[in-house]
């Protein structure tokens, strides 16, 4: 199946710091999505990207659809404790969706 | 706020037993998905329905897994017989027809096979 590599695998940051994570694929994607999953819950959609180069914000979150269409980035500014969770990228090269391996974020108050 | 409902939230079973999971999508969502998420990994699509029809079950282990959505609303995923390697979170998601890039997930069923 499709491989989506996310990095970093985990992050431990101080409250108030900015966070950056990325996702790369082996093929061109038509859509990139970013989800957040908290323990024992299903993923929640944060941002959806549909065009190469697109930059979209949702509050303190900003995501970009890479120009090559093989990568995407998510930034979180001024992190707060409730940002804790696992962040997944998901991409759609055709009809099916593929999820990345996840970035686990821990915010230290 | 409309949500995807799943039950049970947790299931513990012994290997070789049969298990079934239920999902009720958001009202009006024609597309329903079942995913399996192994601990530490991202969700992996098992089966996708459009109304009552299967549109993609290429990753469903059909020797032991089955899924149905008889009336095009709620859905059941069954495993028979369960194996130790089936321990995982089983997630259901739904979306409006033609909007599969905006899937809404349920809370999942955590399956443990002993």
């Amino acid at each position: 199946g499709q491989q989506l590599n996310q990095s970093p695998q985990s992050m431990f940051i101080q409250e108030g710091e900015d966070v950056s994570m990325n996702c790369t694929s082996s093929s061109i994607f038509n859509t990139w999505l970013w989800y957040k999953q908290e323990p024992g819950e299903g993923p929640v959609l944060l941002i959806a990207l549909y065009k190469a180069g697109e930059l979209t914000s949702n509050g303190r979150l900003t995501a970009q659809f890479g120009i090559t269409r093989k990568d995407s980035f998510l930034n979180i500014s001024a992190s707060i404790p409730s940002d804790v969770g696992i962040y997944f990228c998901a991409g759609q090269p055709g009809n099916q969706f593929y999820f990345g391996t996840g970035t686990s974020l821990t915010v230290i108050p | 706020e409309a949500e995807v409902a799943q039950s049970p939230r947790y299931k513990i079973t012994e290997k070789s037993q049969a298990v079934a999971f239920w999902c009720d999508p958001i009202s009006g969502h024609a597309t329903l998905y079942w995913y399996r998420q192994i601990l530490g990994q991202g969700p992996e699509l098992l089966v996708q329905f459009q109304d009552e029809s299967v549109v993609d079950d290429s990753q469903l282990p059909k020797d032991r897994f089955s899924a149905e959505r008889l009336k095009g609303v709620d859905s059941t995923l069954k495993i028979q017989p369960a194996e130790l390697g089936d321990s995982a979170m089983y997630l259901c998601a739904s979306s409006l027809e033609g909007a599969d890039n905006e899937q809404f997930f349920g809370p999942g069923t955590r399956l443990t096979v002993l």
Side-chain angles (χ1 to χ4, degrees), chain A residues 49-78:
Chain A
L49 303 161
Y50 302 106
K51 294 190 299 186
E54 179 180 352
L55 188 70
T56 298
S57 293
N58 178 7
R60 294 178 296 105
L61 278 61
T62 302
Q64 184 165 22
F65 193 138
I67 293 293
T68 65
R69 297 173 65 191
K70 292 185 177 182
D71 56 7
S72 180
F73 308 89
L74 176 69
N75 295 316
I76 305 173
S77 61

Side-chain angles (χ1 to χ4, degrees), chain B residues 24-35:
Chain B
D24 191 13
I26 293 173
S27 178
H29 281 196
T31 310
L32 185 147
Y33 316 78
W34 282 102
Y35 287 87

Side-chain angles (χ1 to χ4, degrees), chain B residues 32-104:
Chain B
L32 185 147
Y33 316 78
W34 282 102
Y35 287 87
R36 176 172 58 189
Q37 185 177 25
I38 296 171
L39 192 63
Q41 299 183 18
E44 176 189 26
L45 181 69
L46 292 175
V47 61
Q48 177 179 341
F49 288 92
Q50 181 64 38
D51 298 311
E52 68 275 9
S53 301
V54 173
V55 298
D56 186 350
D57 63 356
S58 56
Q59 301 302 312
L60 188 71
K62 298 180 186 65
D63 57 335
R64 297 184 300 107
F65 286 64
S66 64
E68 60 183 18
R69 194 184 184 198
L70 295 177
K71 297 183 179 178
V73 181
D74 57 339
S75 175
T76 302
L77 177 70
K78 297 179 181 178
I79 308 175
Q80 182 174 19
E83 296 180 353
L84 296 177
D86 295 331
S87 294
M89 175 79 90
Y90 289 84
L91 294 162
C92 179
S94 70
S95 68
L96 290 169
E97 184 174 355
D100 56 349
N101 50 358
E102 294 193 10
Q103 300 176 28
F104 295 85

Side-chain angles (χ1 to χ4, degrees), chain A residues 87-103:
Chain A
Y87 291 78
F88 288 99
C89 63
Q92 192 177 23
N95 294 324
Q96 188 172 109
F97 266 98
Y98 297 91
F99 280 78
T101 49
T103 293

